[in-house]
Amino acid sequence: MLDPFGRSVSYLRVSVTDRCDFRCVYCMAEDMTFLPKADLLSLEELDRLCSAFIGMGVRKLRLTGGEPLVRRGIMTLIDNLGRHLKTGALDELTLTTNGSQLEKYAVDLYRAGVRRINVSLDTLDAAKFAELTRWGRLDQVMAGLQAAKAAGLAVKINAVALRGVNDSEFDDLIAWCGREGFDLVLIEVMPMGEIGEAARLDQYLPLSMARASIQRKWTLDETDYRTGGPARYYTVRETGRRLGFITPLTHNFCESCNRVRLTCTGTLYMCLGQNDAADLRAPLRASESNALLEEAIREAISRKPKGHDFVIDRRKAPTAVPRHMSVTGG
Ligand code: SAM
Ligand code: SF4
């Protein structure tokens, strides 16, 4: 699948639920209204949609959310999607998770063919963690991470850089990841979803500043390592682990974008930072054959925009897209 700018679309991210057992302050409001359960695609429909994309050239699939591991029956979907790894149609099946359910699922995930996971963790301080996630418990996530390691899953930690919250902890996170054998990716906070304008401006920390302070203590060697994602990677010489930076606001990464995102109601977003979308649920449900669905997917890809419009600027309203990250999946 080629988009109008010649980019090959080979990566599908699927938000399997908009629900979550945490309420991270940069991601959700405390009193979120979730989609009615009746609007969700069934696990069978999600499988059919993912399989159609794989048939059309998607080589990498990432499940996300909300929290993917709180969707009831999620292991059935993951087990079933694992068949595409066995046939070689899919190179990688992976997920982004908050880690709360990993103790329960790590072994099953490995068995289904998952080899790498991203776990979101912004702080190693239990009190700060509770404050940031509102409902989360650090010890549960830590137990999940140990279970993932024991099961043989490679772990990448995603941490959103938040000014005045975890910017004093980057050194600790780098050292801890070094000890645990995890890679680390720092992410700039993106203006998604209504959480209060003042909050967003206060949170934003350009990663160019973070990197400068990190380099006072650590030696960052440039690498050309890519995971098919937007992160730029360095190797931390002192730990031997990778450190990535995702900088949507300070560095525009759209020219190499290879992905599209599907929501749990079957809406396809061709760009995380744009509102244009395509409904795939109607063509999916219209017939048992995939012909209409494939036509709708092709039509959507032909509309993939050149880039996002994110901007955090004191002179402008900070929310570039009104939906929360949990809808499209981070
Ligand atoms: N619940 C899972 C988790 O937390 O990993 C998966 C979904 S979550 C929406 C995916 C990623 O998006 C997480 O790493 C989270 O930190 C990040 N995220 C959420 N809201 C964000 C925002 N406004 N800006 C940048 N990253 C955000
Ligand atoms: Fe849930 Fe992930 Fe959003 Fe936190 S970042 S509220 S864990 S979906």
Side-chain angles (χ1 to χ4, degrees):
M1 284 185 283
L2 281 185
D3 79 358
F5 304 96
R7 296 169 299 190
S8 164
V9 177
S10 57
Y11 182 1
L12 177 68
R13 297 171 76 110
V14 185
S15 174
V16 296
T17 175
D18 64 328
R19 288 162 199 258
C20 187
D21 52 346
F22 292 2
R23 290 289 180 279
C24 302
V25 292
Y26 49 78
C27 179
M28 292 194 182
E30 190 152 24
D31 54 342
M32 289 288 286
T33 312
F34 293 108
L35 295 162
K37 287 215 167 109
D39 286 357
L40 298 192
L41 295 182
S42 68
L43 295 172
E44 293 74 18
E45 287 174 322
L46 280 169
D47 186 306
R48 199 177 137 205
L49 258 175
C50 292
S51 302
F53 273 98
I54 293 166
M56 294 173 76
V58 159
R59 307 284 315 170
K60 178 170 171 180
L61 195 62
R62 177 178 295 277
L63 305 185
T64 174
E67 173 48 39
L69 295 179
V70 301
R71 170 106 195 225
R72 189 169 303 163
I74 188 65
M75 268 326 297
T76 314
L77 176 66
I78 298 175
D79 276 335
N80 287 338
L81 290 172
R83 73 185 181 280
H84 298 297
L85 294 167
K86 292 199 187 98
T87 65
L90 194 62
D91 294 332
E92 187 170 42
L93 174 60
T94 180
L95 74 163
T96 300
T97 171
N98 65 23
S100 70
Q101 309 300 313
L102 275 178
E103 216 179 356
K104 187 164 151 200
Y105 288 124
V107 170
D108 293 343
L109 289 171
Y110 191 90
R111 223 176 263 151
V114 176
R115 293 293 177 266
R116 292 197 308 150
I117 54 171
N118 289 4
V119 180
S120 305
L121 180 65
D122 307 320
T123 174
L124 297 170
D125 178 306
K128 222 185 266 181
F129 184 85
E131 215 173 290
L132 258 180
T133 60
R134 293 197 186 102
W135 295 2
R137 277 189 16 238
L138 183 64
D139 56 348
Q140 194 180 345
V141 174
M142 288 297 177
L145 282 167
Q146 292 312 315
K149 226 162 97 164
L153 295 168
V155 173
K156 186 157 78 189
I157 300 292
N158 281 346
V160 176
L162 299 162
R163 195 192 359 205
V165 179
N166 63 359
D167 47 355
S168 58
E169 272 196 76
F170 298 147
D171 290 339
D172 290 347
L173 277 165
I174 291 169
W176 174 75
C177 283
R179 287 195 301 277
E180 295 289 341
F182 302 152
D183 286 342
L184 173 65
V185 172
L186 297 179
I187 307 173
E188 269 172 6
V189 74
M190 293 175 234
M192 298 196 62
E194 196 40 68
I195 60 159
E197 295 193 4
R200 187 77 73 198
L201 283 170
D202 287 349
Q203 287 168 356
Y204 177 52
L205 170 75
L207 283 184
S208 46
M209 282 170 67
R211 195 170 65 213
S213 95
I214 287 168
Q215 281 175 312
R216 269 180 233 128
K217 177 158 173 149
W218 307 93
T219 319
L220 304 187
D221 292 323
E222 302 236 6
T223 70
D224 49 13
Y225 174 78
R226 307 283 296 187
T227 57
R232 279 215 179 153
Y233 284 94
Y234 297 80
T235 303
V236 182
R237 201 179 296 168
E238 292 80 359
T239 67
R241 302 304 316 182
R242 289 191 191 97
L243 173 63
F245 295 89
I246 299 186
T247 56
L249 296 154
T250 51
H251 168 76
N252 203 308
F253 49 51
C254 304
E255 63 278 4
S256 58
C257 181
N258 58 354
R259 64 196 54 203
V260 288
R261 299 162 192 267
L262 184 70
T263 73
C264 54
T265 54
T267 302
L268 188 73
Y269 284 95
M270 287 71 85
C271 172
L272 181 65
Q274 298 278 359
N275 292 319
D276 189 30
D279 173 38
L280 300 183
R281 186 171 57 179
L284 176 82
R285 290 185 175 166
S287 95
E288 279 180 19
S289 130
N290 277 355
L292 287 175
L293 178 61
E294 287 173 7
E295 196 185 311
I297 293 173
R298 258 184 229 107
E299 192 279 327
I301 301 295
S302 78
R303 284 193 277 131
K304 187 167 159 59
K306 193 165 182 203
H308 67 69
D309 290 333
F310 287 137
V311 65
I312 292 185
D313 185 323
R314 287 188 185 274
R315 288 158 298 177
K316 298 193 188 125
T319 304
V321 288
R323 53 183 199 282
H324 287 90
M325 187 71 107
S326 49
V327 174
T328 348

